[in-house]
Amino acid sequence: MSYQDDPNGYVGSFPKDFTYGPFEQNGDGDSSSLQDDHKPRILLRGLRRSGKSSIQKVVFHKMSPNETWFLESTNQMVKDDINNSSLVQFQIWDFPGQIDFLDPTFDSDTILGGCGALVFVIDAQDDYQDALDKLQLTVTKAYRVNSNIKSEVFIHKVDGLNDDYKMDSQGDIHHRATDDLAEAGLHHVHLSFHLTSIYDHSIFEAFSKVVQKLIPQWPTLENLLNILISNSGIEKAFLLDVVSRIYIATDSSPVDMQSYELGCDMMDVVMDISCIYGMVDETETNTFNNESSSLIKLNNGTVLYLREVNKFLALVCILREENFQKQGVIDYNFLCFRHAITQVFELRNKCQSSGTDRRRSGTPDAVPNGAADSTESTSDHSQPQLA
Amino acid sequence: MIPSNTICVSEEGPANALALNKDATQVVIAGRNVFKVFSIEENDFTEVCNLRVGKNLNLNFSSIDVAWSTIEENTLATAATNGAVVVWNLGRSGRSKQEHVFSDHKRTVNKVSFHLTEPALLISGSQDGMMKCFDLRMKEVARTFISNTESIRDVQFSPHQAHTFAAVSENGNVQLWDVRRHERCLQQFTAHSGPVFACDWHSEMPWLATASRDKTIKVWDIHAKPNLEHTIYTIASVGHVKWRPQKKYQVASCALVLDCAVHVWDVRRPHVPLATFAEHRDVTTAIAWQNDPNTFLSTSRDCSLYRHRFSEAAHPVLWANPHGVCVSARGDVTHAAPDCPLPALHTNPASDRYVPGLGRKQPTAGSLRPQAQAALERLFPGGAASILTRYSGEGRPPCCVVACAKEYKMRGLPTHELAEHNAKVARAYNRHMVGHVWEVVRCVYGRPPPREPPEREPPPPPPAHTNSNAVEEEPLEEVEQWAETQFHNSGVLGMPTLSIYIPPHKYKIRHDEGSGWVSAASAHYVDVETADWTLPEEAFPLRAPPPAHQPSILDTTHGRTAAGGASPGGSSSPGSGSSGSNGSACTAPPNLEQTSSAYPGAATLCRAQPEEGESGPLWVVHEALRPHVEPAPLLALALRHHADLGDVQTAALVMIVLHEHRSDLFPYIDEGLQEHWLLGYIEFLQKHKLWNVATEVVRCAWLSSVWSLSQQSSSVTVCCGRCGRRARPRAMCDRCLPHPDLCAVCRQVVRGLYAWCQGCSHGGHLEHMRQWMEKHQLCPAGCGHHCQLG
């Protein structure tokens, strides 16, 4: 195989141990280990210099966007394993732009077979005609190998464009890409388009949406969050991945960019403080644990409340100060919520260990409802106290 | 304090949605903890019924949206966070009015809406990207529409085509569906660059208004191909839009965050809302017009329900200043003012009713009396009725600069000829100071080649000259001082002013000669009004004293007095540019002490004059004097001075015209500054659309950073001759690929040489094209282009 793992690929303010762990060594890509690996995979594709590695570094390695200027062109495939979280398990595979899927040495069945999502990055500041051709080839090929693959298109580097041009190019790319696919006979393949930039939170939001589609429990999580916020008087709640700060789930009310940015920033503050001051003894570097929580009151009457769900997930709630009078009730509701989440993932683990196909099973729907009921009943007690 | 006409009810919790019944006499509000029906009285809301009753208050009661059937008086539908769509029948006996629960959606339902004519059809849009059409008679899902997008935020039936509905989704797309066909949508287009949160059909026009997180409201004409008609820019994500009934161009909106007010916009005036209702203290969650254009209801997160009357609206246009002024690049001033004055703004005693909104944005408003408001509405929907006035200043200096820029020459001739030409041009436009600079350049660098420019040769300085050369270096610090004082005092460059400049060395010379300096000065005092601004060359010898120990001084001073008397304008014209400096010159004692040290100070003080002076004697009196003074630093100072005064043109052009002498100046002007001047001049030229001149300057430039400009930003794109679409370089248009290029004359496929016009990209056989172009001027393809071949 022509690609290998790149072991020296992270930058950031976290201590060395606090990443997603070492990159997985799959040897020389023997297919058995790939097949056994149940983690959904996200492939990053695109032309050269379209920003794939920058996206990966900024989102998953906390690199500052300005530092991405100095990234070298990737010439080997980089696998990044986001697997330590009990909840979200996936890998990011960053491909060099010049790798050709049609190259016979490229083992597309192995790579695309277990792939959950294909992210195709288009540089919006460049002439995108070539990128569209490549997109069509890539999607066609990927679909032929794996018909369950989800194709996402990131129209990237839109920070340099004005609004009108942004709209025009989005419309144009959308139109031409779907036309191209239709010409290739893939009417039913659906492409999702996201306008992204590493200089704001749009890349995090886009990645959140990609990841959410790969989590079978996502609708359940959303329902749980809905229940939590309606019973606790919370305006908006995000379930954030601690390291990457993408949101795994949020409630069903519209996501406002400012709220999400607030949540991310709060996450940063808490992480940095607990890394600096939270060290109990020398051996323990990960100080973010079940006990972690944080409360920030803003001067416009808004309260930000962060609670740790597990080592890799945190819940950030945004609520009005007057709804925060009875913090105990909210804490109680949160415990119910955490319990429900644990149940959901216990089920998942059970399914996985019994060897059933975890990703396509219909069961997660059933038990979460049970979990939801339990939250509901507990929060029903709390309602009179709140009202 | 609540204004008499606006009524408010506090609720148990915030409502997410509200709906009015068919004749707008009752309103239902629904939220997480509230679900009530009120009847709308004249000044009050009366609770008719509370639907949130029963022992088992489950999640079906926590509603995101509510709809009231447009036909059936008693039928309501709500959308719940757990995905349930609940139908309510108000006519049911008993406490619970719940009729049926559809739990087909697995995720939150964001929107329900009834068909406008079929009472049994209800449609819902859900977070999972699906829409379901329910049949209330059969109590089951009639059809499921899979949008293949993200969450559906709003669904609305079209009032124009009974079976069409619009759905907007979080990925910025709008889809139009036929309710009878669930396979695929009729149309789909990308409307916004962020999630779309709401849409609303216009009641008369085939228009759809969409509201998005990208802070805009867009109005689309959906008649054939979706076409963007209007865009309204707001300050925050827009949560809801509703067209104002009976008003073609007006739409109400409320924000999702940040802005608590409800705004009514005129789509043709997209920047300032027509009316604003700022009663709410938290963001508004829903709005509904009460079947008439003057009242609407709104609910907010602050747990209130308001009825707004249009007569109480605040009008932000009245706070805005309706006058605009702008200055163009050419110095024209434009002033826009309304045709007739706006109705006077009167302070409204009710304006203190606003409670500070917990740090959220809240406009404070003045309201209008009905007649004033009527006047306002007459005025503004009529579009922008205003006067546009254009003032032109007279004698604007930039015009001369522009004119000079057109006529100046910068290459093709020896330096002194160019300088002479440019001096004439400058004088023709009354820019005497600039003219002088050019004259100096001509004199200093204008020696014919056989006489090798003496300042270039490193002269073995004669003993008499060593002294003057030595002191020349020294007072350069002083030079700055002088330049500075002068800078403060001087008027507009090249504009005649009423004070006269007398170089300080004059006094000294006079002093040395034993004659009173006052008399000398008086000899030079002239009436500027009567000055005829001619004979400028005679001024050079007058004010140019050579080093004091030269015997020619006497001649010079004599000549100067004579010339000053004979044609006073001659001496005053250069002096006038540096007005007001004589005072500082008089009070500078060091200059009066020693001739040699005073001289360079004076030289810079009067910018160009010292060089003139120093060249003047050479020219008029004695040529052998030239090598005494090195002109380069002085010229450099003069150029710097001009640049400081904002005349970058002179600085840049002199540098260009100097050609081979340019390097003399380099020690005195660093490269950054040179580049700055050149780029500044090029920018100025481009601003005045003098592209040719600008290109010329770029071409003449000696700095690589400047001349490489001509190699940037020129790109050639290739268009397909048939469809006009941009094609890839070196490739056929992918749309027209199957069709080979035909000859425009004979309509045959061209094999071999293909000649085409680069303007319109039509062409054909070389021979045919040549024959055609001999007889015709227009393109053979009939596109109307004046083709040129070859």
Side-chain angles (χ1 to χ4, degrees):
Chain A
M1 271 312 204
S2 59
Y3 53 85
Q4 281 171 348
D5 292 328
D6 178 12
N8 43 8
Y10 67 82
V11 177
S13 63
F14 283 131
K16 222 169 154 65
D17 307 8
F18 202 84
T19 53
Y20 295 108
F23 296 111
E24 207 174 51
Q25 299 291 331
N26 274 339
D28 280 337
D30 57 317
S31 56
S32 63
S33 74
L34 281 171
Q35 294 304 336
D36 290 345
D37 187 9
H38 284 289
K39 286 186 270 299
R41 232 170 281 149
I42 298 176
L43 302 190
L44 277 175
R45 296 298 323 261
L47 294 185
R48 316 179 51 157
R49 311 301 293 174
S50 57
K52 299 175 291 299
S53 301
S54 302
I55 291 177
Q56 194 217 9
K57 296 286 182 201
V58 168
V59 176
F60 295 104
H61 296 287
K62 246 193 144 185
M63 183 184 265
S64 138
N66 297 320
E67 287 171 44
T68 60
W69 275 100
F70 308 110
L71 281 181
E72 294 288 323
S73 211
T74 314
N75 44 25
Q76 289 179 323
M77 189 165 73
V78 177
K79 288 186 217 168
D80 201 351
D81 215 354
I82 320 291
N83 63 346
N84 283 344
S85 154
S86 61
L87 211 155
V88 198
Q89 301 192 344
F90 56 92
Q91 291 178 326
I92 306 282
W93 286 21
D94 182 12
F95 281 86
Q98 57 272 21
I99 276 201
D100 191 359
F101 267 176
L102 305 177
D103 190 345
T105 60
F106 182 82
D107 188 358
S108 53
D109 288 349
T110 314
I111 288 168
L112 292 170
C115 172
L118 173 75
V119 173
F120 195 90
V121 184
I122 293 180
D123 183 349
Q125 295 184 8
D126 203 5
D127 185 15
Y128 43 75
Q129 179 64 48
D130 292 346
L132 287 177
D133 295 346
K134 183 83 175 269
L135 169 69
Q136 192 221 355
L137 282 178
T138 312
V139 171
T140 316
K141 173 82 178 175
Y143 183 76
R144 215 171 292 139
V145 176
N146 177 1
S147 58
N148 285 328
I149 201 165
K150 296 195 167 49
S151 305
E152 313 276 337
V153 180
F154 284 8
I155 302 169
H156 194 49
K157 306 189 192 175
V158 290
D159 46 282
L161 309 179
N162 67 19
D163 282 349
D164 290 344
Y165 188 73
K166 225 186 273 182
M167 278 301 303
D168 286 353
S169 53
Q170 186 187 9
D172 191 37
I173 289 176
H174 186 201
H175 201 74
R176 285 160 72 172
T178 38
D179 278 3
D180 284 351
L181 279 185
E183 267 174 37
L186 300 171
H187 291 279
H188 46 284
V189 174
H190 173 66
L191 297 175
S192 311
F193 294 86
H194 309 266
L195 291 171
T196 58
S197 157
I198 53 172
Y199 293 96
D200 56 27
H201 282 69
S202 58
I203 187 66
F204 290 94
E205 194 183 31
F207 240 103
S208 303
K209 290 188 170 162
V210 173
V211 169
Q212 283 164 5
K213 288 185 190 167
L214 298 183
I215 304 174
Q217 300 88 351
W218 170 48
T220 312
L221 295 177
E222 184 184 271
N223 283 341
L224 288 176
L225 281 166
N226 278 336
I227 296 161
L228 174 74
I229 68 166
S230 57
N231 288 313
S232 312
I234 297 170
E235 288 197 350
K236 188 76 191 158
F238 292 99
L239 198 58
L240 292 178
D241 182 66
V242 168
V243 178
S244 65
R245 295 172 295 162
I246 62 178
Y247 60 90
I248 303 302
T250 179
D251 60 292
S252 60
S253 62
V255 177
D256 168 45
M257 222 46 183
Q258 285 92 338
S259 332
Y260 178 46
E261 283 169 18
L262 269 180
C264 286
D265 292 348
M266 179 169 192
M267 192 75 236
D268 277 350
V269 170
V270 174
M271 283 308 305
D272 289 349
I273 297 225
S274 57
C275 282
I276 296 171
Y277 299 106
M279 208 176 291
V280 181
D281 56 70
E282 294 296 315
T283 55
E284 190 190 18
T285 47
N286 178 14
T287 52
F288 196 77
N289 56 28
N290 279 357
E291 304 297 313
S292 298
S293 77
S294 163
L295 181 67
I296 297 179
K297 291 192 180 182
L298 305 182
N299 65 358
N300 64 353
T302 306
V303 174
L304 303 177
Y305 187 43
L306 180 142
R307 283 297 298 260
E308 162 72 45
V309 176
N310 61 30
K311 195 176 165 194
F312 297 94
L313 283 180
L315 179 79
V316 177
C317 306
I318 298 171
L319 65 165
R320 308 303 305 272
E321 205 163 0
E322 58 262 31
N323 292 335
F324 200 66
Q325 306 293 333
K326 298 197 174 79
Q327 191 189 346
V329 180
I330 293 175
D331 284 343
Y332 180 72
N333 284 348
F334 171 77
L335 289 178
C336 298
F337 170 76
R338 182 154 78 188
H339 181 65
I341 286 197
T342 321
Q343 283 184 330
V344 170
F345 288 99
E346 270 171 11
L347 173 85
R348 200 266 310 264
N349 292 338
K350 229 184 289 170
C351 293
Q352 221 168 13
S353 57
S354 65
T356 50
D357 180 10
R358 163 184 68 77
R359 296 200 290 126
R360 281 289 132 209
S361 73
T363 39
D365 286 333
V367 173
N369 280 343
D373 285 337
S374 73
T375 328
E376 193 185 322
S377 56
T378 51
S379 39
D380 275 349
H381 318 192
S382 64
Q383 264 171 14
Q385 299 162 2
L386 265 182
Chain B
M1 260 183 62
I2 292 155
S4 56
N5 281 331
T6 308
I7 32 189
C8 153
V9 182
S10 281
E11 308 146 11
E12 288 87 340
N16 288 322
L18 67 94
L20 289 163
N21 67 346
K22 180 171 62 173
D23 37 10
T25 52
Q26 292 191 327
V27 59
V28 59
I29 56 171
R32 276 166 183 157
N33 299 318
V34 61
F35 190 20
K36 279 183 179 173
V37 179
F38 294 98
S39 90
I40 304 166
E41 313 285 326
E42 186 55 39
N43 285 315
D44 209 356
F45 291 119
T46 331
E47 185 177 322
V48 174
C49 119
N50 185 0
L51 293 159
R52 196 182 160 81
V53 288
K55 305 196 288 271
N56 187 16
L57 283 176
N58 57 15
L59 282 174
N60 294 346
F61 285 87
S62 103
S63 312
I64 290 286
D65 192 38
V66 61
W68 200 316
S69 171
T70 45
I71 296 149
E72 300 279 335
E73 183 60 41
N74 285 329
T75 310
L76 291 173
T78 56
T81 48
N82 63 349
V85 174
V86 188
V87 181
W88 309 80
N89 185 357
L90 295 179
R92 264 173 87 110
S93 54
R95 279 179 75 207
S96 172
K97 311 282 187 195
Q98 193 167 324
E99 176 104 348
H100 188 74
V101 181
F102 295 98
S103 8
D104 296 281
H105 286 290
K106 288 288 172 261
R107 293 176 57 193
T108 302
V109 177
N110 289 319
K111 183 75 187 175
V112 280
S113 72
F114 280 98
H115 195 278
L116 299 176
T117 50
E118 292 271 339
L121 282 188
L122 172 70
I123 197 158
S124 67
S126 159
Q127 190 82 358
D128 53 13
M130 288 198 279
M131 292 148 281
K132 285 181 192 285
C133 181
F134 301 97
D135 193 322
L136 301 186
R137 294 163 297 194
M138 302 196 297
K139 303 208 187 309
E140 66 181 35
V141 178
R143 267 171 214 96
T144 300
F145 307 89
I146 299 169
S147 71
N148 260 334
T149 57
E150 292 167 30
S151 316
I152 298 292
R153 283 287 168 192
D154 201 353
V155 279
Q156 295 278 347
F157 277 104
S158 161
H160 313 296
Q161 291 153 306
H163 293 289
T164 308
F165 68 91
V168 298
S169 79
E170 282 217 334
N171 66 354
N173 280 4
V174 175
Q175 292 181 330
L176 298 180
W177 289 81
D178 189 320
V179 77
R180 297 162 296 188
R181 297 182 56 205
H182 65 274
E183 301 87 26
R184 55 187 306 179
C185 59
L186 300 173
Q187 255 177 357
Q188 170 170 357
F189 59 96
T190 305
H192 291 270
S193 58
V196 190
F197 291 141
C199 64
D200 195 34
W201 290 91
H202 196 280
S203 55
E204 297 148 26
M205 308 290 294
W207 283 354
L208 184 73
T210 55
S212 163
R213 197 176 75 181
D214 65 8
K215 302 181 185 173
T216 56
I217 301 166
K218 290 184 177 173
V219 179
W220 303 85
D221 187 343
I222 315 271
H223 190 60
K225 194 168 174 281
N227 187 29
L228 180 61
E229 292 282 317
H230 301 280
T231 307
I232 298 167
Y233 298 92
T234 69
I235 58 162
S237 313
V238 190
H240 289 91
V241 273
K242 287 281 175 220
W243 288 98
R244 189 176 175 195
Q246 297 159 35
K247 302 275 177 184
K248 189 175 169 190
Y249 292 108
Q250 292 179 15
V251 65
S253 79
C254 65
L256 200 66
V257 283
L258 204 70
D259 187 3
C260 315
V262 179
H263 301 289
V264 178
W265 305 83
D266 188 314
V267 291
R268 295 161 303 175
R269 183 178 275 275
H271 299 287
V272 185
L274 180 77
T276 293
F277 301 86
E279 279 82 6
H280 285 298
R281 285 181 294 113
D282 203 337
V283 288
T284 309
T285 51
I287 40 181
W289 290 93
Q290 215 183 340
N291 285 1
D292 107 76
N294 290 318
T295 41
F296 71 95
L297 285 89
S298 70
T299 57
S300 148
R301 282 231 207 101
D302 62 4
C303 306
S304 63
L305 169 66
Y306 272 97
R307 178 164 64 164
H308 304 274
R309 303 236 159 130
F310 222 74
S311 51
E312 290 154 11
H315 295 272
V317 248
L318 294 184
W319 319 329
N321 184 357
H323 295 259
V325 175
C326 192
V327 184
S328 83
R330 292 176 182 277
D332 296 346
V333 178
T334 305
H335 173 222
D339 235 349
C340 35
L342 290 176
L345 179 70
H346 63 272
T347 48
N348 186 356
S351 60
D352 57 358
R353 65 177 182 261
Y354 304 114
V355 189
L358 288 167
R360 305 216 172 189
K361 206 161 206 159
Q362 195 172 47
T364 49
S367 291
L368 286 176
R369 287 204 196 89
Q371 65 270 26
Q373 190 220 332
L376 187 79
E377 295 210 355
R378 270 201 310 279
L379 267 177
F380 282 94
S386 53
I387 319 165
L388 195 66
T389 325
R390 182 177 150 165
Y391 303 101
S392 311
E394 55 255 84
R396 286 160 287 153
C399 283
C400 341
V401 179
V402 173
C404 286
K406 286 183 192 154
E407 295 183 29
Y408 276 161
K409 286 184 182 169
M410 57 188 99
R411 64 196 179 95
L413 292 171
T415 301
H416 65 278
E417 283 179 38
L418 289 173
E420 188 176 0
H421 171 84
N422 292 348
K424 273 187 199 141
V425 171
R427 287 188 193 281
Y429 288 100
N430 272 341
R431 302 175 73 207
H432 297 279
M433 286 304 301
V434 180
H436 274 295
V437 175
W438 285 113
E439 295 281 0
V440 171
V441 172
R442 175 176 71 91
C443 298
V444 175
Y445 295 102
R447 292 303 101 194
R451 256 184 271 178
E452 180 65 21
E455 66 270 21
R456 306 277 330 236
E457 60 181 9
H465 297 157
T466 35
N467 185 20
S468 70
N469 277 349
V471 280
E472 199 208 306
E473 320 261 310
E474 178 195 337
L476 271 177
E477 305 100 319
E478 224 172 88
V479 155
E480 314 245 338
Q481 270 181 17
W482 282 110
E484 211 177 296
T485 31
Q486 189 198 12
F487 181 71
H488 290 313
N489 294 336
S490 61
V492 180
L493 178 73
M495 298 292 278
T497 41
L498 277 176
S499 44
I500 287 183
Y501 165 66
I502 299 167
H505 54 263
K506 264 184 226 152
Y507 316 138
K508 174 147 31 62
I509 291 161
R510 288 291 159 183
H511 200 65
D512 290 346
E513 297 295 316
S515 40
W517 60 270
V518 180
S519 64
S522 63
H524 290 273
Y525 264 107
V526 285
D527 184 3
V528 183
E529 305 294 327
T530 61
D532 65 351
W533 307 104
T534 51
L535 300 170
E537 273 120 358
E538 292 194 14
F540 299 158
L542 294 184
R543 67 183 37 215
H549 40 74
Q550 293 298 324
S552 63
I553 266 184
L554 219 67
D555 298 323
T556 327
T557 39
H558 283 320
R560 175 173 51 194
T561 343
S567 69
S571 64
S572 66
S573 72
S576 60
S578 49
S579 60
S581 51
N582 51 353
S584 50
C586 295
T587 54
N591 288 356
L592 297 175
E593 288 168 16
Q594 206 195 21
T595 319
S596 47
S597 72
Y599 176 67
T604 36
L605 171 63
C606 54
R607 292 173 276 196
Q609 284 88 347
E611 292 98 345
E612 294 153 14
E614 146 246 319
S615 63
L618 290 175
W619 180 44
V620 177
V621 184
H622 202 301
E623 284 201 348
L625 292 178
R626 291 181 69 243
H628 302 324
V629 179
E630 176 71 28
L634 302 176
L635 186 58
L637 278 168
L639 295 187
R640 271 172 190 272
H641 181 78
H642 273 274
D644 284 347
L645 289 180
D647 182 16
V648 77
Q649 181 189 41
T650 309
L653 266 184
V654 168
M655 294 286 282
I656 288 175
V657 164
L658 284 182
H659 297 311
E660 71 272 15
H661 305 295
R662 195 182 293 135
S663 52
D664 296 353
L665 296 184
F666 287 177
Y668 309 101
I669 303 170
D670 64 32
E671 196 173 311
L673 191 61
Q674 295 171 21
E675 185 185 341
H676 188 67
W677 288 351
L678 281 173
L679 292 179
Y681 187 44
I682 290 167
E683 191 190 331
F684 169 83
L685 291 172
Q686 285 172 346
K687 203 154 87 183
H688 289 276
K689 301 184 181 171
L690 299 170
W691 314 113
N692 291 342
V693 188
T695 315
E696 188 92 337
V697 172
V698 171
R699 191 174 159 186
C700 293
W702 59 96
L703 297 168
S704 63
S705 57
V706 180
W707 58 251
S708 64
L709 279 182
S710 61
Q711 288 157 20
Q712 291 168 2
S713 70
S714 329
S715 57
V716 179
T717 52
V718 186
C719 292
C720 172
R722 186 173 286 107
C723 63
R725 205 158 154 252
R726 199 169 133 192
R728 271 169 290 160
R730 293 184 297 281
M732 308 284 280
C733 171
D734 35 3
R735 192 169 289 174
C736 310
L737 196 57
H739 312 284
D741 279 312
L742 300 178
C743 172
V745 181
C746 69
R747 298 279 161 201
Q748 299 295 315
V749 178
V750 182
R751 298 183 196 282
L753 284 182
Y754 183 82
W756 76 98
C757 166
Q758 299 194 346
C760 64
S761 68
H762 293 116
H765 294 100
L766 177 62
E767 206 44 47
H768 290 166
M769 290 302 287
R770 191 176 287 153
Q771 283 166 8
W772 178 275
M773 295 320 289
E774 278 165 11
K775 286 180 247 162
H776 304 83
Q777 284 189 326
L778 294 182
C779 175
C783 67
H785 185 257
H786 283 267
C787 287
Q788 284 184 323
L789 206 58

